[in-house]
Amino acid sequence: MASRRPDSFDGYGFRSDQYGAGYPPRSSGPASGISGELQQHQWVTSPPDIPGSRNLHPGERTPLYEEAEPGSRWEAPHAAGVPPEQLNRFAGFGIGLVSLFTENVLAHPCIVFRRQCQVNYHGRCYHLTPFSAVSVMYAITKAQGLKALWKGMGSTFIVHGIALGAEGVISEFTPLPRELPHSWSWKQLAGHLLLKGLTAVVALPFYCASLIETVQSEIVRDESSSGLLDCVREGLTRLLGVGAPHSRRLLPLSYLLLPVAAHAILRYAVAASVQRAVLWLHQRGGKRRPVPSDPLDAYFPELAAAWAGSLAADVLLFPLETALHRLSLQGTRTIIDATDGAEAAGSGGSPLVLPVNTQYDGLADCLHAIRKKEGAAGFYRGFGALLAQYSLHGALLAAARTLLRVVLLDAKAC
C-alpha cells in the first residue's frame, strides 16, 4: 500500500490545511451517511501541542516558557527538597536540644565545682574567676578521673522530676495557677509565686540528698552501696528522721523551709523579669528591621533571653545560695575535695579531701559568720565556675545557631 504522506512532510511543520486538502478522509465503512462534520474532517499527522515538547509549529513557543497572563497565579514548580515547615521544626528542635543538653549535662562539672567551693569555708582560694576554677577542675579530674566532676548528675535529674511533678500535682488540687495568663492580676501572680515556693519546699529533702552526692569526694564514696535512687532514699530518711543518726549539728528541715522558698521565688521572679525585658527589647528593635527570613530568628531570641534571665538570677542570689548550701550540708558528715590549686592534686600525686564542719544556728547566723570570718568575697566562693558554666552555655548556643544556619541554607539550596 502506497504511503499517503506527502514527500515534503518533515514531522514538524506539516499541517492538514496545507497538504491534506487533496486527500479524502478515511472511509468509515457502511456508516457513510455520518454527519457532515465527520466528512469534512481533515487528516492530521502531527499530535496536539504538548507544553515543553517539540511538537510546535514554526514561530510558536511552549506555554511553559511564556509569560503568565495577568491574573493567572501560575508559578514555576519548586525544586524538590525539604518543606519549609519541617526545616523550621528541625531548627527549633535542634537549638532547643543543644541548650537543654548543655545546661543539664555539659555544664554539670561547673555546678559540682561551684558547690564544692561554696561549702569549703576554709579554702584559701575563692575562685572568683573562671581561669582559676578551670585549672583546679582539671587537676581534680587528672587525679581522680572524669567521674570526679560528673557525680550526682542522676540525682539532679531526679530532683528536677520531683519538682515538676510536685508543681503539677499542687496546681491540680489547688487554685494556684501553674502558668500566668496574658492579662494577669496581682492575685494570680501571688498564687503563681506561692506555687513556686511550695514546689521548692516539697523538693527540699531530695535536694539536700542530691547536694551531698554532688559534693561528696569520690575517694570516700562506696561504689558497691551507691545507686541511682539513693537520692530518693536519703531524702525520705531525712524527711522522716529515720535511718543512721547524723551529727547533732544537723539542722532540722524546718529551719530551711522559709529560706529555700524565698530563694526559689526570688530566683524565678528575677529570671522571668529579665527574660521578659530582653524579649521586649528584641521585639522593639525588630520592628525597625525587615521581617527575618531565617527560621532560627524565631527560636534563638527566646533561648538567649532565658539564658540571660538565669544568669542574672544566679548572680544576684549567689550569696543566698552559698548560705543555703552550707546549712543543707551541715551535720551530714560529708567529705569534699580540696579546692585549693596545688592541694587539689595532693602531695605525691594523692588527692586531698576535707571534712565539712560548720556550726551555724540558722540563716542569719550563717550570713553573719561568713561576712565576719571570710569577708564579702566569701559569699562568692566558686563564682568563677558559675561564669565558666554560662560562658560554655552561651558559646554552644551561638555555635549551634551558626551550624544550623549553614545546614538550613544547604537544605534550601538543594
Side-chain angles (χ1 to χ4, degrees):
M1 178 178 179
S3 175
R4 300 175 61 185
R5 185 173 64 183
D7 296 337
S8 60
F9 176 76
D10 57 2
Y12 292 98
F14 174 77
R15 281 189 178 181
S16 60
D17 55 356
Q18 297 177 357
Y19 301 99
Y23 298 89
R26 293 182 178 178
S27 174
S28 56
S32 56
I34 295 285
S35 62
E37 179 181 359
L38 180 61
Q39 295 293 336
Q40 296 177 358
H41 176 73
Q42 301 294 336
W43 177 61
V44 181
T45 58
S46 60
D49 291 342
I50 303 175
S53 66
R54 298 179 59 188
N55 300 318
L56 302 175
H57 303 302
E60 293 183 352
R61 299 168 58 188
T62 173
L64 182 64
Y65 299 100
E66 292 180 355
E67 298 181 357
E69 299 179 358
S72 61
R73 297 185 178 181
W74 179 86
E75 296 180 357
H78 298 282
V82 183
E85 294 80 7
Q86 294 186 7
L87 292 178
N88 295 345
R89 287 195 296 266
F90 169 75
F93 174 77
I95 197 169
L97 182 62
V98 169
S99 177
L100 188 65
F101 181 77
T102 304
E103 182 179 1
N104 295 281
V105 179
L106 292 183
H108 189 74
C110 299
I111 298 175
V112 170
F113 186 74
R114 182 185 81 201
R115 293 178 176 179
Q116 287 183 333
C117 292
Q118 287 176 323
V119 300
N120 186 9
Y121 60 94
H122 42 59
R124 295 191 303 268
C125 184
Y126 289 6
H127 299 292
L128 301 179
T129 62
F131 306 103
S132 62
V134 172
S135 62
V136 178
M137 290 168 61
Y138 174 75
I140 295 176
T141 304
K142 186 177 180 180
Q144 304 183 28
L146 292 176
K147 63 180 180 180
L149 293 179
W150 296 90
K151 52 194 174 187
M153 187 170 61
S155 62
T156 303
F157 290 143
I158 293 177
V159 172
H160 287 330
I162 293 175
L164 291 176
E167 183 178 0
V169 171
I170 295 175
S171 63
E172 286 292 333
F173 292 95
T174 61
L176 302 179
R178 190 173 186 179
E179 299 291 341
L180 283 177
H182 183 70
S183 300
W184 48 268
S185 62
W186 290 106
K187 183 179 180 180
Q188 291 175 331
L189 177 61
H192 184 62
L193 295 179
L194 179 59
L195 176 63
K196 298 299 181 180
L198 292 177
T199 301
V201 168
V202 172
L204 174 60
F206 310 100
Y207 181 83
C208 293
S210 174
L211 178 64
I212 296 175
E213 290 188 12
T214 304
V215 301
Q216 182 83 14
S217 177
E218 283 291 326
I219 301 175
V220 298
R221 186 185 299 273
D222 187 5
E223 296 292 343
S224 60
S225 61
S226 61
L228 182 61
L229 298 180
D230 285 349
C231 170
V232 179
R233 178 173 55 83
E234 293 295 334
L236 293 176
T237 298
R238 184 164 183 178
L239 176 63
L240 301 176
V242 298
H246 292 278
S247 172
R248 294 182 179 179
R249 297 187 301 271
L250 180 67
L251 289 177
L253 290 178
S254 58
Y255 283 55
L256 302 176
L257 295 182
L258 186 59
V260 166
H263 177 268
I265 293 175
L266 290 176
R267 190 185 186 281
Y268 174 79
V270 172
S273 300
V274 174
Q275 181 178 357
R276 287 176 179 268
V278 172
L279 287 177
W280 178 79
L281 292 176
H282 174 75
Q283 293 174 359
R284 183 179 180 183
K287 294 179 180 179
R288 304 174 183 176
R289 299 188 298 266
V291 179
S293 58
D294 191 352
L296 292 178
D297 293 338
Y299 302 100
F300 188 78
E302 295 184 3
L303 295 176
W307 175 86
S310 299
L311 175 61
D314 286 340
V315 169
L316 292 178
L317 298 177
F318 198 90
L320 180 57
E321 184 186 56
T322 300
L324 288 177
H325 284 170
R326 293 192 182 187
L327 293 175
S328 302
L329 212 63
Q330 178 174 304
T332 57
R333 300 174 180 176
T334 303
I335 298 178
I336 64 173
D337 297 315
T339 58
D340 287 334
E343 295 182 0
S347 58
S350 59
L352 295 180
V353 293
L354 300 170
V356 178
N357 297 318
T358 56
Q359 297 181 2
Y360 304 122
D361 296 331
L363 178 63
D365 182 57
C366 180
L367 295 175
H368 177 72
I370 293 175
R371 181 175 179 82
K372 182 179 179 180
K373 297 180 180 179
E374 306 172 40
F379 293 106
Y380 291 92
R381 287 182 179 270
F383 188 74
L386 178 69
L387 297 180
Q389 171 189 345
Y390 280 95
S391 298
L392 175 64
H393 191 183
L396 288 182
L397 274 181
R401 182 187 184 187
T402 303
L403 179 61
L404 288 174
R405 177 173 291 164
V406 173
V407 172
L408 292 177
L409 290 177
D410 292 343
K412 291 180 180 179
C414 295

